[in-house]
Amino acid sequence: MCIIAHFIDNDWKLHKKIINFCPITSHKGDAIGRAIETYLLEWGLDKILTITVDNARSNDIATAYLKKKLANWGVTISNSDYLYMRCMAHIVNLVVMDGLKDVGESVLKVRNAVRYIRSSLARLKKFKECVEYEQIDGKSSLYLDVSTMWNSTYLMLNTTQKYERAFERYESQEPMFMLELGENGVPDFHDWSECRKMAEMFSHFYELTLHISSSRYVTSNMFFGEISDLAFILNQWVDNIDIEMKIWGTK
């Protein structure tokens, strides 16, 4: 468990310090609460405004435990009404992962194509030649995602989509590409179109996560506006004539 303290000093400067990185004996809420209590006492920290954790049941119990302890210490701030803050970035992550339960076939094709190219230096070299021939600005390299991390899928789609012509040329010059992926496994025009659309959809969640995950400035005052903007976009998707965008908006 990593415990990070965010505090404002006497000059009103925001600080972020890791105060403990430790193993815990159990993932049960009471055990987590006792561990946090121990390390707060070690640091002499008793005036706690908020504790931000992800949206798990065990954290409900842990923060309830700490709320009682702070009351016993007689140092509650605002009666600890704002002690338990659910991590907004984690909630956004849950929303997107729920929408990605059934990943489209086009994303799978692009993922397999990127994996094939990245699997050897010879293939990467040949692909770079195709990029240069097509006169594509190839400063960003091919990015292979981790299927359980939606933000990495966004980065893969966002960086790969501009190489569509390079993939087409690679396919025409390397017969093993189609043989290994299969005739229906190589991304076509429809697949690239779908991936561009999905990358554009992902971008809103990605930018939101970046804005609210900063540790260099206060973010608690931003979330309402950010979520309101996202809600407006989702409502637009619901009314969209595109079936996939409509489904994403209603999820």
Side-chain angles (χ1 to χ4, degrees):
M1 178 170 64
C2 184
I3 303 176
I4 302 174
H6 299 263
F7 62 95
I8 299 172
D9 65 17
N10 292 332
D11 296 321
W12 291 93
K13 292 182 179 179
L14 181 65
H15 294 268
K16 169 189 174 183
K17 302 291 183 182
I18 296 176
I19 61 173
N20 215 295
F21 187 79
C22 54
I24 53 175
T25 58
S26 170
H27 287 275
K28 292 183 179 179
D30 287 337
I32 294 173
R34 285 193 295 270
I36 296 175
E37 176 193 14
T38 298
Y39 301 124
L40 289 178
L41 290 173
E42 286 182 0
W43 279 88
L45 300 175
D46 56 8
K47 296 180 178 63
I48 311 298
L49 175 61
T50 63
I51 296 176
T52 305
V53 288
D54 62 26
N55 206 35
R57 173 59 181 165
S58 58
N59 288 325
D60 295 347
I61 299 171
T63 50
Y65 174 88
L66 290 168
K67 191 171 184 178
K68 292 178 182 177
K69 289 298 178 181
L70 290 173
N72 291 339
W73 297 346
V75 290
T76 60
I77 300 175
S78 298
N79 200 33
S80 293
D81 290 339
Y82 308 105
L83 184 68
Y84 185 12
M85 299 296 292
R86 292 168 175 81
C87 177
M88 185 178 169
H90 182 250
I91 293 173
V92 171
N93 181 68
L94 294 176
V95 170
V96 181
M97 291 303 297
D98 184 66
L100 274 178
K101 284 181 179 177
D102 301 314
V103 177
E105 183 179 344
S106 296
V107 176
L108 295 177
K109 286 184 178 181
V110 169
R111 179 182 293 152
N112 290 334
V114 172
R115 182 181 291 114
Y116 178 89
I117 299 294
R118 284 172 51 93
S119 63
S120 78
L121 291 176
R123 291 173 181 174
L124 272 173
K125 181 180 178 182
K126 182 65 178 178
F127 184 79
K128 288 180 179 178
E129 292 173 359
C130 295
V131 171
E132 292 174 0
Y133 187 89
E134 293 292 338
Q135 297 182 344
I136 300 171
D137 180 13
K139 292 182 180 179
S140 56
S141 58
L142 288 179
Y143 186 95
L144 181 61
D145 72 334
V146 179
S147 59
T148 56
M149 299 175 63
W150 71 266
N151 55 327
S152 70
T153 301
Y154 163 71
L155 292 173
M156 178 186 71
L157 297 177
N158 194 46
T159 56
T160 305
Q161 59 175 324
K162 65 181 179 181
Y163 294 122
E164 177 182 356
R165 299 196 312 276
F167 275 99
E168 291 174 350
R169 176 159 295 278
Y170 187 89
E171 178 187 355
S172 66
Q173 296 183 1
E174 293 294 325
M176 288 301 299
F177 186 51
M178 181 178 290
L179 287 175
E180 187 160 327
L181 296 183
E183 185 175 353
N184 296 322
V186 177
D188 56 21
F189 175 81
H190 170 74
D191 296 317
W192 289 113
S193 177
E194 288 296 302
C195 286
R196 284 192 183 90
K197 180 171 60 181
M198 185 160 286
E200 193 276 332
M201 292 163 65
F202 274 150
S203 67
H204 301 291
F205 294 94
Y206 185 78
E207 292 299 326
L208 169 63
T209 303
L210 291 181
H211 291 164
I212 63 177
S213 299
S214 174
S215 61
R216 296 183 179 274
Y217 53 83
V218 178
T219 58
S220 57
N221 61 313
M222 300 169 54
F223 80 93
F224 183 78
E226 296 284 352
I227 287 295
S228 297
D229 291 343
L230 184 59
F232 178 78
I233 293 170
L234 292 176
N235 285 330
Q236 287 184 318
W237 292 357
V238 171
D239 297 330
N240 201 292
I241 59 174
D242 187 291
I243 299 300
E244 289 190 2
M245 293 192 75
K246 184 182 289 289
I247 292 174
W248 256 77
T250 55
K251 279 187 176 183

